[in-house]
Amino acid sequence: MRYMKAFYITIIFFNTLLFPQYSVGDQISTEHQELAFDICYGDYENNQLSLSDFANGNTVIWINLAASWWGPCYASIQDGDNIVEHWEEDDRVVIFHSLDDIGQPYSCSMWGYQGTPDIPIIIDDGTSNILYDLFDTDGGYPDNIFIDHNMNVYNITELEMDETSINSIIQSMLDEIPTQVSYVDDIQP
């Protein structure tokens, strides 16, 4: 019994080292930014996506973490698509969904076709839930992760999607991106 307890503690310890849980205010490490995830629905270059693709100081990210078997996640697909459509003209906003437990019961394609065709980008988080485990969530679904232009976790919500709230959080992140100021006009001969 004592050995079993030591075994579980060791697993928890190494899991924490490999996949620390980011909380609001934490900066995502370069190593975790470079994790590549396969895209299973939507169009994106090379059919893989990583957070480092957007580490340019001018982009904010909303990630919706969902499970294919959870009814509230499935019911919120159209709301998620509405949010994507709201921001699709703003290149500073990146939105994607991370789908866990694909095929239980919905496939990635079934999930994607439920909403507006070709949106959103959906990644397969795989059987080990790598992306999901990076963030300090309540252990349930759905979760919404917001990452600011500096790759800091801006907000984590553990609620179903609310278009107004999510759009407000995205707008708040955009408002915090510094604007370039030109001082040329202030120089006097």
Side-chain angles (χ1 to χ4, degrees):
M1 182 72 167
R2 183 171 47 153
Y3 295 111
M4 200 61 137
K5 184 176 180 182
F7 175 74
Y8 287 126
I9 290 171
T10 302
I11 288 175
I12 291 168
F13 175 73
F14 282 114
N15 191 40
T16 303
L17 287 177
L18 294 174
F19 299 107
Q21 291 194 323
Y22 293 105
S23 297
V24 173
D26 293 343
Q27 186 167 45
I28 299 172
S29 72
T30 304
E31 176 187 357
H32 290 139
Q33 289 178 37
E34 293 174 354
L35 292 172
F37 298 95
D38 291 331
I39 294 175
C40 61
Y41 184 83
D43 187 29
Y44 188 75
E45 53 193 73
N46 302 327
N47 288 325
Q48 282 198 327
L49 178 145
S50 66
L51 296 177
S52 64
D53 296 344
F54 314 109
N56 59 20
N58 195 40
T59 303
V60 301
I61 302 168
W62 169 48
I63 307 168
N64 173 252
L65 303 174
S68 72
W69 47 265
W70 188 236
C73 292
Y74 192 75
S76 68
I77 290 172
Q78 189 57 56
D79 291 336
D81 288 357
N82 292 343
I83 295 166
V84 171
E85 289 174 334
H86 179 84
W87 295 104
E88 69 185 340
E89 298 298 319
D90 194 330
D91 293 336
R92 301 170 303 159
V93 179
V94 172
I95 298 171
F96 64 92
H97 296 264
S98 174
L99 190 58
D100 281 338
D101 304 324
I102 293 175
Q104 299 178 24
Y106 299 105
S107 71
C108 191
S109 297
M110 290 168 70
W111 194 274
Y113 293 135
Q114 174 64 23
T116 306
D118 299 322
I119 60 171
I121 291 174
I122 302 174
I123 65 166
D124 178 358
D125 200 10
T127 56
S128 59
N129 302 327
I130 293 170
L131 187 62
Y132 179 83
D133 289 341
L134 284 178
F135 299 98
D136 186 15
T137 64
D138 67 354
Y141 291 98
D143 291 301
N144 298 288
I145 310 298
F146 299 88
I147 302 172
D148 73 9
H149 63 286
N150 291 317
M151 287 293 162
N152 294 319
V153 178
Y154 187 86
N155 198 334
I156 297 174
T157 63
E158 298 159 346
L159 304 169
E160 294 173 32
M161 279 187 263
D162 172 277
E163 287 182 57
T164 303
S165 298
I166 289 176
N167 286 334
S168 177
I169 293 169
I170 292 171
Q171 186 61 56
S172 294
M173 290 191 301
L174 289 172
D175 291 345
E176 292 185 16
I177 297 175
T179 57
Q180 293 182 340
V181 178
S182 173
Y183 293 101
V184 174
D185 295 334
D186 294 337
I187 300 175
Q188 302 204 2

